[in-house]
Amino acid sequence: MVNLTIDGKKITVKKNATIYEAAQEAGIHIPVLCYAKKLLPYGACRVCLVEVEQMKGRLIPSCTTPVTEGMVVTTTSDEIQKVRKTVLEFLLVNHVVDCPVCDKGGECDLQDLTYEFEVVKNRFEGVKFDLPKDEVNPLIERNMNRCVLCGKCVRVCDEIVAYGSYSFINRGFETKIATAFDRGLNCEFCGQCVSMCPVGAILPRPFKFKARPWQLKEVDSVCGYCGNGCTVTLGVKDNKVETIRFNDKTGVNDGNLCIRGRFGYSYVNSEERLQKPLLRKDGALVEVSWNEALEAVVAGFNGAKNAGGVGILSGARLTNEEFHLLKKLAGTLGSTNLDHSGGECYKGLTEGLQETLGLTASTGTFPQVEECDVILSIRSDFYETHPVFGMVINQAVKRNEAQLIVVADKKGKFGTLPHAATLLAKPGLEVNILNAMAAVLIEEGLAVTEGVENLDALKASLAEYAVDKVAAESGVAAEALRKAARQLAAAKKSAILLAYGLPYSANSKELGIAAANLSILSGNAGREGSGLYLCGEKANSQGAIDLQVLPGQGGLGAQAMLAAAGEGKLGALYVIGEDPLTSYPDRAKVEAALAKAKFVVVQDLFLSPTAEQADVVLPAVSFAEKDGTFTNAERRIQRVRPGVTRPGEARSDAEIFTALGALFGSTLSYTGPAAIFADLAQAVPGYAGIDFTAIGAQGVVWGGEQLAPTRKKVVPVAGGKPVTSAFQLVTGSALYHSGTMSTRAKGPLAVIPEPYLELGREDAAALKVAEGDLLKLKGNGVELQLKAKIGNRLPKGVVFAPYHFASAGINRLYRGEAAVSVEVSK
Amino acid sequence: MSNAAEQVEQEEIDLTGANQVIDKYLDMHGALMPVLQEIQEVYGYVPEPCVHLVAERLNVYSSQIYGVLTFYAQFHLEPRGKYIVRVCMGTACHVKGAGRIGDTLKDRLGVGHAETTEDLKFTAEYVACIGACGMAPVIMVNDATYGSMTVNKMNEVIDKYVKMD
Ligand code: SF4
Ligand code: SF4
Ligand code: SF4
Ligand code: FES
Ligand code: FES
């Protein structure tokens, strides 16, 4: 700790604090422009100059100067104020005065400072810039005439996003911020630069002319897309979500968001939202009253009782409270056929982890990963499924020099980070690789074996996965495998990351177990600061697992339900917040299920392709209209708050479940989220003792920062066989989308409007295809046509298609395999 | 596929030379400047595809490389002519009529500062003092210096180079 005096006030701060941070802690205001809490100190704008007695003779930038013992700082004096005012006058020489139309007006740092320092006239005069605006992309407008060259956009895009869109170009007076070759922006569109820019130089285009900042009502909530669980602050006007605003005071994301969180909110305001229940009459869906719709559901479910019962398939974006009510409703209906999101894809979590470590959740929290010295990321798409967690990893690597090992079938951004090694394997062989690493640990005597059950069985099974053998079949160098295993074993704190989701249903249980084996053998399991991170795809995937939205005794899982329905063995299918026809593997199976089930109810926001097939469609509400909690992939329970009111007669899932329950004789009444939470906290281990009203800005991590494994049992798992065809298709998430919901949101859709087939340059050259050409994709007896997207990520012979789009029919071809053997031609 | 930004057609060039340059420096830390300089020696300028290649192979952002290329006057992002005609616009030359010399060049070749003729034969550049003020106004064509220029003399010099290959 260091003692110093600021403006006569004696204060003590931590050793590496800057003067600015020290002042802030003491409640002393120093103006800043280029400073940002989450970026490294930079010192470009000079607005924060202060006087330090020990460094007399010049003014010192407080945002970059570390405190020293006994320092005496003065933050305001006539001279300092004069210099600050001059700094502003200089900035205003170049800066256009177009505040009246600037969307930043009212929350612009330059405007605020100009006001604070009463700059009413300028002693300097100069040529104003007249640079063209960048309006090429639909999301981010850049007007460099307003830029004050603070470099925050450059820094955030490099330090945190690791994309590196911007740079300072030219020099002297001509200096400006630009992309390579000074073109329009074409990037991840995460909008971090938008939120960092202190002036109106970088602005969100969808927000243009929607509201003045002070007219917006701010509501803190949680992003409805992925399991990262970023907190968002909705900017609401006239009952519409008009923007997502920067907020680094809540949650664990430091105000960082990805394109989906920042620009993917418009579906909430969509005209296409379902507003009234629909009932199939004479073959067509027609609007009816809630009473009529619910009566039809009751009749349908009653009719199903003796015809195989009801199968309930839930999405993973319901709140915990809603999952709890759904469980109760299933009980009332007497159905144990309950599952969520693809069922198969969470087997790793729900069965694999239970078997090995005795738990079904991540063992650590995201901020811990920043302190890890070795990080093993399984699948390069990790930063695409959970982009903001990806940013945490960037920082661990770039700031704290963590070693990053990526096991993947395509190259990704992770691989370009310093100290990163990508073990680029043929698709579907991740388990083999993890097994080989386990084999190295044992062979070289690096494995932690004390108190580990079942070791001999594992050892015996690993004979199959000798490093050289796995190297030969996977294409990863044997030495790289050995090195990775040794790094993991030598780590003081390590993180093993694994993402789960609908497009990853193949081998999911095996993968979970293989990762857990490695966690145990490398000493990762149970060690302070280390963790195994199991990240579910959707906003409340973890909640669904915690609340056991899973098949009960003798009940069917998602895939089994669909199979049973397809054989006419399930009386009714109740699909909630999910569009299986679009997103589940093997569309033919889903089609058969929907056609053969005697009665189908779909509860959703939109008339999805699945809903179009239903007998009854119940209009539900979005995350922005709900009150309750989500649990993210690090077990953090966070408050979801309603920012807008529901469209038409739509009802929350909670209300629908209670109403239905009542019709079936349940006495449960919905008295709001707090009461339901209190009820569920008694039923769910780990949630006990958590008080809904006490969930603060950072949420509550159930089980604590570190969740201790209850056992350590290694289990042999079989790896995959390499697919030998010339082309292999893998499917998955595209960074810009999440599930099928984002395809209803204008922002993500503007960037990636349609399905595509991605291939590497080498294959593109061999096939003589150019970007955007139509390609034929044949496999599993199905032929599709998709536009080509050419890039550097994919190795020869591997093609990739995102699974989000209904029209693509990827799931006609993809039936849940780790990799589909396909033919690709022009 | 992303329709979020303009699609940019890239020129087709043979990257063998650039790859060779990068190979040499691959293991050297902070090799960006020499790599760019040598690439410019090979191609006469730094073609865009080379920038992206360097970005990928040296793991530097393209935007950063572009920042470097636009910061230093020594780098050229466009193909340059066989003959670089530098017209000095320094004070001494200016006083002695460098303006007219520049105009003559423009009239004859149709190119102004930092522009190159379509046949890639000439690039015009207006530069600051070349350090031969005694002979003002001065021009240089590649390494050859011509002093005490007049409009007539300028025409002669241009004629001479037009005839050369
Ligand atoms: S939107 Fe994100 S990726 Fe794009 S330039 Fe801004 S910070 Fe970088
Ligand atoms: S665009 Fe904004 S963030 Fe970037 S340097 Fe200019 S003022 Fe700073
Ligand atoms: S989609 Fe995921 S990573 Fe992106 S903002 Fe939402 S929660 Fe965060
Ligand atoms: S805030 Fe300190 S120099 Fe900009
Ligand atoms: S001014 Fe032209 S050579 Fe010096």
Side-chain angles (χ1 to χ4, degrees):
Chain A
M1 295 307 257
V2 174
N3 304 297
L4 73 163
T5 314
I6 303 183
D7 292 347
K9 198 167 167 181
K10 288 208 181 334
I11 50 179
T12 309
V13 289
K14 63 175 194 305
K15 201 165 89 241
N16 44 11
T18 60
I19 300 177
Y20 175 74
E21 285 161 350
Q24 216 183 14
E25 223 166 273
I28 296 166
H29 164 75
I30 298 177
V32 287
L33 201 52
C34 72
Y35 167 87
K37 183 175 90 181
K38 65 183 171 193
L39 302 177
L40 300 175
Y42 195 63
C45 76
R46 304 325 228 196
V47 168
C48 68
L49 292 173
V50 294
E51 207 174 86
V52 177
E53 208 172 272
Q54 288 82 348
M55 306 185 215
K56 263 269 159 36
R58 66 193 169 100
L59 296 179
I60 311 291
S62 63
C63 74
T64 53
T65 312
V67 292
T68 51
E69 186 62 37
M71 204 175 224
V72 180
V73 180
T74 310
T75 70
T76 15
S77 68
D78 285 350
E79 196 206 334
I80 294 172
Q81 294 300 85
K82 223 167 84 191
V83 172
R84 286 184 187 152
K85 192 163 174 171
T86 309
V87 167
L88 285 169
E89 283 176 289
F90 274 128
L91 287 175
L92 291 167
V93 173
N94 306 333
H95 190 280
V96 286
V97 182
D98 64 350
C99 300
V101 290
C102 179
D103 272 337
K104 199 78 173 215
E107 53 180 1
C108 165
D109 289 350
L110 180 64
Q111 203 182 54
D112 293 348
L113 286 170
T114 305
Y115 188 83
E116 183 183 335
F117 286 86
E118 301 179 25
V119 182
V120 285
K121 61 176 193 311
N122 204 335
R123 289 171 290 146
F124 312 105
E125 249 178 63
V127 196
K128 302 250 187 246
F129 290 116
D130 186 16
L131 301 165
K133 273 194 261 176
D134 170 12
E135 292 182 315
V136 193
N137 72 78
L139 299 176
I140 296 175
E141 175 176 306
R142 293 186 306 134
N143 179 348
M144 288 305 123
N145 300 309
R146 295 176 183 156
C147 172
V148 293
L149 294 175
C150 69
K152 276 179 170 175
C153 54
V154 180
R155 287 143 66 205
V156 77
C157 194
D158 168 22
E159 288 174 30
I160 291 178
V161 189
Y163 191 87
S165 258
Y166 304 121
S167 193
F168 286 90
I169 66 156
N170 304 331
R171 61 192 145 141
F173 181 72
E174 303 287 321
T175 305
K176 69 167 183 171
I177 303 292
T179 62
F181 297 91
D182 205 359
R183 300 221 174 91
L185 198 58
N186 188 8
C187 60
E188 289 183 8
F189 294 113
C190 63
Q192 305 294 84
C193 53
V194 174
S195 70
M196 276 290 102
C197 185
V199 295
I202 309 185
L203 292 167
R205 288 191 70 194
F207 181 54
K208 233 178 141 59
F209 302 123
K210 290 290 193 306
R212 304 304 324 209
W214 57 85
Q215 295 172 315
L216 293 168
K217 176 178 86 175
E218 290 200 331
V219 181
D220 291 336
S221 193
V222 181
C223 174
Y225 282 116
C226 86
N228 211 99
C230 299
T231 45
V232 289
T233 297
L234 310 173
V236 178
K237 189 181 167 232
D238 298 336
N239 203 35
K240 276 203 170 125
V241 180
E242 293 294 10
T243 190
I244 300 281
R245 306 181 85 192
F246 179 69
N247 183 352
D248 59 3
K249 301 201 174 55
T250 68
V252 282
N253 50 317
D254 263 344
N256 296 329
L257 295 171
C258 75
I259 177 174
R260 317 181 301 221
R262 179 128 28 218
F263 293 113
Y265 52 81
S266 74
Y267 75 90
V268 170
N269 309 328
S270 171
E271 295 288 316
E272 287 167 30
R273 288 278 302 273
L274 292 169
Q275 307 215 1
K276 284 194 98 181
L278 306 173
L279 179 63
R280 191 166 299 278
K281 286 184 179 171
D282 302 326
L285 285 169
V286 292
E287 289 191 350
V288 294
S289 70
W290 269 101
N291 275 346
E292 196 178 342
L294 290 177
E295 270 166 29
V297 175
V298 172
F301 284 177
N302 278 333
K305 265 191 192 142
N306 300 319
V310 184
I312 307 173
L313 219 50
S314 173
R317 287 173 174 147
L318 279 67
T319 61
N320 288 322
E321 296 70 24
E322 289 168 340
F323 284 140
H324 187 60
L325 291 168
L326 175 59
K327 286 267 314 187
K328 300 244 174 191
L329 176 64
T332 309
L333 291 173
S335 176
T336 51
N337 306 325
L338 176 68
D339 206 349
H340 73 283
S341 277
E344 306 298 308
C345 66
Y346 294 110
K347 275 199 180 320
L349 269 168
T350 54
E351 295 172 15
L353 272 289
Q354 189 61 264
E355 220 175 310
T356 48
L357 296 166
L359 40 80
T360 52
S362 299
T363 64
T365 59
F366 291 162
Q368 285 175 7
V369 179
E370 250 194 272
E371 308 290 320
C372 286
D373 49 339
V374 177
I375 300 171
L376 170 68
S377 164
I378 301 162
R379 291 192 184 114
S380 72
D381 320 52
F382 198 89
Y383 85 93
E384 293 183 292
T385 49
H386 300 75
V388 172
F389 190 21
M391 295 177 199
V392 172
I393 292 150
N394 291 341
Q395 289 179 74
V397 172
K398 295 181 103 172
R399 288 193 187 164
N400 302 337
E401 304 195 349
Q403 309 285 326
L404 176 62
I405 308 158
V406 190
V407 176
D409 49 23
K410 49 185 166 309
K411 289 182 259 175
K413 193 171 73 174
F414 272 179
T416 67
L417 296 173
H419 329 290
T422 304
L423 308 185
L424 191 64
K426 297 216 176 80
L429 299 182
E430 289 97 346
V431 173
N432 309 45
I433 297 212
L434 300 183
N435 278 348
M437 286 173 67
V440 173
L441 293 179
I442 292 176
E443 198 183 287
E444 301 192 356
L446 302 169
V448 174
T449 52
E450 214 189 285
V452 175
E453 298 170 55
N454 213 21
L455 197 63
D456 291 333
L458 181 74
K459 273 186 189 162
S461 77
L462 288 179
E464 267 291 296
Y465 300 94
V467 176
D468 295 300
K469 185 165 178 256
V470 171
E473 64 187 7
S474 68
V476 180
E479 211 27 59
L481 284 167
R482 286 202 184 90
K483 185 175 169 202
R486 289 176 197 141
Q487 280 177 322
L488 202 61
K492 287 192 202 70
K493 293 177 178 177
S494 61
I496 300 177
L497 324 174
L498 186 58
Y500 282 106
L502 269 173
Y504 307 116
S505 44
N507 320 328
S508 100
K509 183 174 172 186
E510 289 78 4
L511 207 49
I513 292 177
N517 286 344
L518 208 48
S519 158
I520 295 170
L521 296 175
S522 68
N524 164 287
R527 183 173 53 203
E528 189 68 30
S530 294
L532 177 61
Y533 293 82
L534 292 309
C535 297
E537 186 185 19
K538 308 268 170 75
N540 204 19
S541 292
Q542 189 59 46
I545 288 162
D546 295 345
L547 274 288
Q548 294 280 303
V549 181
L550 295 166
Q553 263 309 320
L556 306 175
Q559 292 298 327
M561 260 186 257
L562 291 171
E567 291 164 14
K569 290 185 191 146
L570 205 59
L573 209 48
Y574 184 14
V575 183
I576 304 146
E578 189 74 83
D579 181 9
L581 209 49
T582 301
S583 61
Y584 274 38
D586 199 349
R587 184 183 298 195
K589 190 176 180 184
V590 183
E591 274 167 350
L594 292 173
K596 292 274 175 60
K598 287 172 200 70
F599 183 69
V600 178
V601 182
V602 171
Q603 179 168 318
D604 212 334
L605 271 55
F606 292 95
L607 194 64
S608 67
T610 307
E612 281 172 17
Q613 307 294 316
D615 296 292
V616 182
V617 180
L618 305 175
V621 305
S622 75
F623 81 104
E625 293 136 16
K626 275 183 188 179
D627 199 347
T629 56
F630 283 164
T631 306
N632 80 349
E634 41 156 18
R635 293 176 282 114
R636 196 176 296 270
I637 305 170
Q638 303 189 99
R639 280 294 305 277
V640 179
R641 292 188 184 80
V644 291
T645 57
R646 61 205 51 201
E649 296 175 18
R651 292 186 184 176
S652 73
D653 298 289
E655 289 163 320
I656 301 172
F657 296 148
T658 339
L660 268 177
L663 294 174
F664 284 101
S666 155
T667 52
L668 191 78
S669 67
Y670 181 63
T671 41
I676 303 294
F677 191 90
D679 194 46
L680 75 82
Q682 287 178 354
V684 182
Y687 285 53
I690 298 172
D691 176 7
F692 182 83
T693 53
I695 298 174
Q698 312 307 325
V700 173
V701 180
W702 72 256
E705 294 282 315
Q706 200 91 36
L707 193 63
T710 61
R711 64 189 303 182
K712 288 181 184 170
K713 179 181 173 190
V714 287
V715 176
V717 269
K721 290 266 168 293
V723 182
T724 49
S725 60
F727 282 102
Q728 300 151 36
L729 169 80
V730 286
T731 175
S733 289
L735 165 65
Y736 305 88
H737 284 284
S738 175
T740 55
M741 192 54 79
S742 61
T743 62
R744 306 263 177 186
K746 284 186 208 145
L749 212 52
V751 181
I752 302 286
E754 52 183 357
Y756 58 82
L757 185 70
E758 185 178 341
L759 68 172
R761 293 203 188 284
E762 222 181 314
D763 286 333
L767 292 169
K768 297 200 169 53
V769 289
E771 181 88 10
D773 284 357
L774 269 188
L775 282 175
K776 276 200 211 85
L777 179 68
K778 243 195 269 181
N780 278 337
V782 176
E783 185 175 318
L784 305 174
Q785 280 214 323
L786 288 163
K787 279 194 188 166
K789 179 182 163 86
I790 301 166
N792 287 333
R793 296 199 305 169
L794 293 170
K796 194 167 167 338
V798 181
V799 293
F800 168 85
Y803 81 104
H804 316 280
F805 298 92
S807 64
I810 286 298
N811 61 349
R812 288 187 190 288
L813 202 151
Y814 166 68
R815 303 206 175 135
E817 309 90 333
V820 193
S821 123
V822 289
E823 284 169 43
V824 182
S825 59
K826 225 168 125 169
Chain B
M1 186 54 44
S2 147
N3 67 351
E6 81 247 77
Q7 293 290 333
V8 184
E9 282 294 320
Q10 284 214 10
E11 54 188 321
E12 296 255 345
I13 63 152
D14 179 3
L15 290 171
T16 319
N19 270 314
Q20 282 165 354
V21 172
I22 301 169
D23 286 342
K24 268 201 323 201
Y25 289 95
L26 213 47
D27 297 320
M28 196 193 282
H29 195 72
L32 187 58
M33 282 300 276
V35 165
L36 295 175
Q37 279 162 338
E38 284 191 33
I39 285 177
Q40 175 153 298
E41 264 167 46
V42 174
Y43 297 89
Y45 70 110
V46 186
E48 178 167 351
C50 292
V51 172
H52 299 307
L53 182 77
V54 173
E56 200 184 319
R57 294 200 57 199
L58 293 188
N59 203 3
V60 192
Y61 304 130
S62 296
S63 66
Q64 267 173 4
I65 302 179
Y66 187 70
V68 169
L69 292 173
T70 54
F71 185 84
Y72 295 100
Q74 58 169 295
F75 290 116
H76 307 285
L77 285 153
E78 297 291 333
R80 306 220 308 150
K82 183 163 184 197
Y83 302 109
I84 314 290
V85 186
R86 294 194 175 86
V87 182
C88 178
M89 293 286 173
T91 317
C93 293
H94 173 77
V95 170
K96 293 201 136 186
R100 265 178 294 134
I101 305 297
D103 291 344
T104 311
L105 186 67
K106 179 126 202 208
D107 290 345
R108 287 291 308 273
L109 302 177
V111 289
H113 174 60
E115 288 170 0
T116 300
T117 56
E118 244 165 58
D119 60 1
L120 294 185
K121 194 150 181 190
F122 293 98
T123 296
E125 267 175 17
Y126 303 160
V127 298
C129 182
I130 296 178
C133 310
M135 305 195 293
V138 179
I139 72 160
M140 280 179 82
V141 181
N142 293 354
D143 293 332
T145 310
Y146 300 84
S148 311
M149 297 302 289
T150 60
V151 170
N152 276 347
K153 212 166 154 195
M154 186 68 194
N155 275 315
E156 279 164 30
V157 174
I158 295 172
D159 286 340
K160 175 173 147 197
Y161 283 95
V162 165
K163 279 192 207 109
M164 280 168 49
D165 265 344

